[in-house]
Amino acid sequence: MNKMICVGNAVVDIIVKNGTERTPDGMTQFSETIDMYPGGDAVNEAVGMWAMGNEVKLYTVIGDDALGNAFTSMVKEYGIDTEGIIKDKEHGTTATVVTVGAGGEHGCMTLRDGAAGNMHYSTDMFDIDFTHAKLVSVASLFWSKGQRDEELTRLLAAAKKAGALTAADMVLDQWQMTLDDISGALRYIDYLVPSFHEASYFTGKDTPEEIAEEFHKRGVKTVVLKMGAEGVFASEKGKTYRVGTIADRVVDTLGAGDNFVAGFLTAIADGLGLEEALYFGSAASAIAISHYGANGAIKSKQQVLEYLDAHRK
């Protein structure tokens, strides 16, 4: 069993499934369902990794409030260790209202100044035990205004010193940061897994190859770009890889990228090669988007393997 550490944001997702019934402006509108789930990049990754048989340690920040208590209860139901969750007494639990359309695409509105937006990716904030850790994932870069390059660098350096692989996802700029603001940390990242849109935004480049080269110049070992319906692109040691999507049913795309990362990093921790890991991550993502909610659709590693066997082209 691989020990995986996830450090990053936690939110409470309130999922609103759009219905066909509408009323005039100013009146109540009706949805088909309204549900609440634990979410956030680090949480989605942690839930997926745990379901696929990994030992998972989650380090994040929530508010000391009713939503935070609900979040903790929901996370425990998934079997995630909650000892690394800190309660912020000054900021409320970050919540996101997600509307899901008939085609599975979603829109989000998130509390800007919540607890997750003020956390520090830091060994000073979190007492992280890196002993025997196979992989440490930061989810996600640029989410928090509390992100500091020197703190993030120390965290990733400590992970590397302990013998762990390191990985990071990204979100679009929340606080007017640039790649120069994390230049030290980038050198300690083995696997960087942003979306194409995020990576293009931060690098100013227009093609996967140019984007990857920009990150390689900054010290990132392996670059994996999530490209939506086009699948994924990866660059490592002068070689590039492309894997097309293998999804056959789209219900809700929320968490698609996080579940890809969970599957991809599970495969890497298991010792699979890069291309095989891309396929495994793609299968995990495909399963996730065939259900509502950002996590919980993946039940086991065997489920992912069976989906991959049935759908791989």
Side-chain angles (χ1 to χ4, degrees):
M1 181 182 291
N2 297 313
K3 178 180 176 181
M4 313 283 266
I5 294 173
C6 294
V7 184
N9 65 308
V11 307
V12 171
D13 285 332
I14 300 169
I15 312 293
V16 181
K17 181 181 177 183
N18 291 345
T20 56
E21 190 173 355
R22 291 289 182 269
T23 55
D25 290 345
M27 302 293 287
T28 299
Q29 295 188 359
F30 296 97
S31 66
E32 187 173 326
T33 59
I34 300 177
D35 296 297
M36 186 165 69
Y37 303 91
D41 300 351
V43 176
N44 296 336
E45 287 186 18
V47 170
M49 289 174 178
W50 178 83
M52 287 181 278
N54 300 289
E55 175 191 350
V56 182
K57 300 293 183 181
L58 172 66
Y59 296 88
T60 190
V61 180
I62 58 175
D64 188 10
D65 52 21
L67 269 182
N69 292 336
F71 172 88
T72 302
S73 296
M74 290 186 289
V75 167
K76 284 182 177 178
E77 290 181 5
Y78 283 112
I80 302 298
D81 187 333
T82 60
E83 289 185 2
I85 299 177
I86 294 174
K87 287 193 173 183
D88 183 338
K89 296 185 180 300
E90 296 183 8
H91 303 91
T93 299
T94 302
T96 299
V97 177
V98 184
T99 57
V100 182
E105 293 303 318
H106 64 273
C108 301
M109 181 176 292
T110 299
L111 177 66
R112 170 171 281 273
D113 199 31
N118 286 277
M119 69 175 289
H120 290 242
Y121 301 149
S122 167
T123 51
D124 294 331
M125 172 170 275
F126 300 109
D127 183 17
I128 303 176
D129 179 11
F130 294 105
T131 306
H132 304 307
K134 192 67 175 287
L135 190 142
V136 176
S137 178
V138 175
S140 289
L141 302 176
F142 301 112
W143 170 271
S144 174
K145 67 180 179 182
Q147 176 182 302
R148 302 286 184 271
D149 187 40
E150 60 272 18
E151 293 177 337
L152 184 57
T153 299
R154 285 199 300 271
L155 188 155
L156 292 170
K160 296 294 292 179
K161 185 177 181 180
L165 295 169
T166 57
D169 199 345
M170 282 184 170
V171 297
L172 282 176
D173 184 26
Q174 308 288 310
W175 311 103
Q176 288 73 57
M177 296 181 187
T178 69
L179 292 182
D180 290 337
D181 293 317
I182 57 169
S183 59
L186 286 171
R187 296 196 297 270
Y188 288 90
I189 296 176
D190 293 312
Y191 297 91
L192 184 64
V193 197
S195 72
F196 174 83
H197 185 42
E198 293 158 354
S200 179
Y201 172 87
F202 283 109
T203 62
K205 304 300 182 181
D206 298 322
T207 69
E209 292 80 6
E210 291 173 326
I211 290 169
E213 181 58 28
E214 186 64 28
F215 284 123
H216 288 320
K217 287 179 182 178
R218 293 174 178 269
V220 177
K221 310 299 186 298
T222 303
V223 179
V224 178
L225 302 179
K226 296 168 291 188
M227 303 183 67
E230 296 181 30
V232 289
F233 167 92
S235 174
E236 178 186 69
K237 298 178 181 178
K239 294 184 63 177
T240 61
Y241 306 79
R242 287 181 182 269
V243 170
T245 182
I246 55 175
D248 62 359
R249 180 170 178 258
V250 180
V251 172
D252 179 6
T253 59
L254 183 68
D258 298 335
N259 283 274
F260 169 83
V261 175
F264 172 75
L265 295 181
T266 293
I268 290 295
D270 283 346
L272 272 65
L274 181 57
E275 187 172 27
E276 289 303 309
L278 294 173
Y279 273 106
F280 192 85
S282 297
S285 180
I287 291 170
I289 65 176
S290 68
H291 296 73
Y292 281 101
N295 57 57
I298 298 171
K299 306 301 182 184
S300 68
K301 186 182 296 183
Q302 185 62 33
Q303 176 196 19
V304 180
L305 288 170
E306 289 175 359
Y307 185 97
L308 183 56
D309 286 343
H311 294 81
R312 184 168 179 171
K313 298 175 183 177

